Amino acid sequence: VYLVVFHLSFVMFVWSYWKTIFTSPASPSNEFCLSKADKEQYEKEERPESQQEILRRAAKDLPIYTTTASRAIRYCDRCQLIKPDRCHHCSACDICVLKMDHHCPWVNNCVGFSNYKFFLLFLMYSLLYCLFVAATVLQYFIKFWTNELPDTHAKFHVLFLFFVAAMFFISILSLFSYHCWLVGKNRSTIETFRAPTFRNGPDKNGFSLGCSKNLREVFGDEKKYWLLPIFTSLGDGCNFPTRLVIMDPEQLTVSSQNEPAKSSGANQSFPPRPLSESQNRLLASDSQWVESGPEEENVKSGSLHHNTSDDS
């Protein structure tokens, strides 16, 4: 039984680790890129308010419900695209990553929409693997302290193995518990330190739909695949349902079935309005935007060590 559990946990650990490392971070589709004409006009403009007008016009048909802290459209000068909600630019990968959580040096990859489930499973199976190793070595560790273990060099190996497994278990347990809390709240690590800004202002719970729905958004609807490192996350990484923060009776009475979906390409379509449990559309009115320059927002918290050069 021990061997079966050992091999099973080791195989799932390696599989999850492999998927976390070699799954490419998902980037925004071409729909979020400026057209050639808009890009040339944007680069020629020197006034920030004129640049924002170009971005606002280009983003009016996109499913974007968050802004910068200064109410400007989130735009990446490096990738030259309008950022979808929860998308951030990673300075290490030098790309915009959909639903970016952080750049992890342990896997040399960005953890985001495409591999967040794999990262969680990697932590879970690492935790189980360390627990199994510590539990199987515990009896020899007790014998070492009671001087019942034969006086051989192997006793130092036992001591080293137990302490390493125990320390990794404690470290991974804290990280795994933190990410479980994030899944329950439907937040990324970046959003924990810098709340997304909606129409009514910053709201750290803006994307939370309840613990059950938040869990399904990451792991999918079919529970039989939850423990397997197979991609089952819901959505496309660009469009996320949000809490109904502002009750707009006019919009709530509009039936989305009477409006055709706006196409973003051959294999993707975006709804013209938010999903049924969503924030009201921010780009519906010109008056919602104020003239402002590019956002220069720095994270004040010293505990945010993730490698990202994103503005918002």
Side-chain angles (χ1 to χ4, degrees):
V1 177
Y2 282 127
L3 288 177
V4 173
V5 175
F6 173 80
H7 284 97
L8 182 60
S9 60
F10 181 75
V11 168
M12 298 303 293
F13 161 75
V14 172
W15 188 7
S16 302
Y17 188 49
W18 177 276
K19 293 285 287 186
T20 306
I21 294 176
F22 292 103
T23 300
S24 300
S27 299
S29 61
N30 294 332
E31 183 73 9
F32 293 88
C33 297
L34 293 179
S35 65
K36 186 177 180 179
D38 287 339
K39 188 182 300 183
E40 291 177 354
Q41 187 178 0
Y42 179 87
E43 293 173 351
K44 290 180 182 178
E45 291 290 347
E46 296 181 356
R47 296 188 307 164
E49 55 270 21
S50 299
Q51 292 180 332
Q52 275 298 303
E53 175 62 25
I54 296 172
L55 296 179
R56 185 192 61 78
R57 186 174 62 249
K60 65 180 181 179
D61 293 331
L62 296 176
I64 299 175
Y65 315 119
T66 60
T67 68
T68 65
S70 58
R71 298 292 184 175
I73 294 179
R74 301 170 65 244
Y75 180 75
C76 180
D77 292 306
R78 185 76 175 178
C79 299
Q80 295 184 328
L81 54 80
I82 297 172
K83 297 177 186 176
D85 294 339
R86 316 185 80 175
C87 175
H88 300 271
H89 185 88
C90 176
S91 59
C93 299
D94 197 26
I95 57 173
C96 283
V97 180
L98 296 180
K99 196 185 176 183
M100 180 178 174
D101 187 89
H102 68 284
H103 183 88
C104 181
W106 297 103
V107 299
N108 192 30
N109 197 7
C110 264
V111 177
F113 175 75
S114 60
N115 61 352
Y116 188 59
K117 176 190 175 183
F118 306 148
F119 177 73
L120 291 175
L121 293 179
F122 160 64
L123 293 180
M124 185 185 72
Y125 288 120
S126 301
L127 196 66
L128 294 177
Y129 185 62
C130 291
L131 178 62
F132 177 81
V133 172
T136 53
V137 179
L138 180 61
Q139 56 178 325
Y140 301 102
F141 180 76
I142 295 176
K143 290 181 179 180
F144 171 80
W145 284 106
T146 57
N147 294 323
E148 296 179 10
L149 196 67
D151 190 16
T152 62
H153 293 294
K155 63 182 181 181
F156 297 104
H157 299 163
V158 170
L159 185 66
F160 176 78
L161 183 60
F162 178 79
F163 273 111
V164 169
M167 286 188 297
F168 269 97
F169 174 80
I170 295 173
S171 301
I172 297 175
L173 178 62
S174 61
L175 183 60
F176 180 67
S177 301
Y178 173 68
H179 278 280
C180 287
W181 178 79
L182 289 180
V183 171
K185 297 292 184 179
N186 203 340
R187 299 179 200 167
S188 65
T189 302
I190 295 177
E191 291 167 350
T192 302
F193 292 95
R194 193 168 56 210
T197 303
F198 293 87
R199 180 178 179 180
N200 63 326
D203 185 0
K204 61 184 179 180
N205 294 317
F207 291 105
S208 181
L209 305 175
C211 187
S212 176
K213 293 182 180 179
N214 295 340
L215 185 67
R216 292 204 305 270
E217 190 170 307
V218 176
F219 289 93
D221 290 325
E222 300 189 54
K223 295 182 179 180
K224 61 182 179 180
Y225 296 123
W226 281 12
L227 299 181
L228 296 177
I230 300 173
F231 184 80
T232 55
S233 300
L234 301 180
D236 54 17
C238 297
N239 188 22
F240 295 92
T242 63
R243 292 194 308 121
L244 194 59
V245 180
I246 301 177
M247 299 297 291
D248 187 345
E250 231 176 76
Q251 180 163 342
L252 290 177
T253 56
V254 176
S255 174
S256 60
Q257 296 178 354
N258 296 332
E259 301 185 14
K262 291 181 172 63
S263 176
S264 65
N267 301 322
Q268 198 174 26
S269 62
F270 295 131
R273 295 183 179 272
L275 303 182
S276 58
E277 297 173 283
S278 62
Q279 167 72 21
N280 285 326
R281 202 172 177 82
L282 292 178
L283 302 176
S285 173
D286 296 354
S287 62
Q288 294 170 10
W289 301 96
V290 297
E291 295 181 351
S292 59
E295 180 190 16
E296 298 179 355
E297 180 183 359
N298 296 322
V299 180
K300 297 181 180 179
S301 174
S303 57
L304 182 58
H305 302 293
H306 302 295
N307 192 359
T308 172
S309 63
D310 183 72
D311 292 333
S312 171

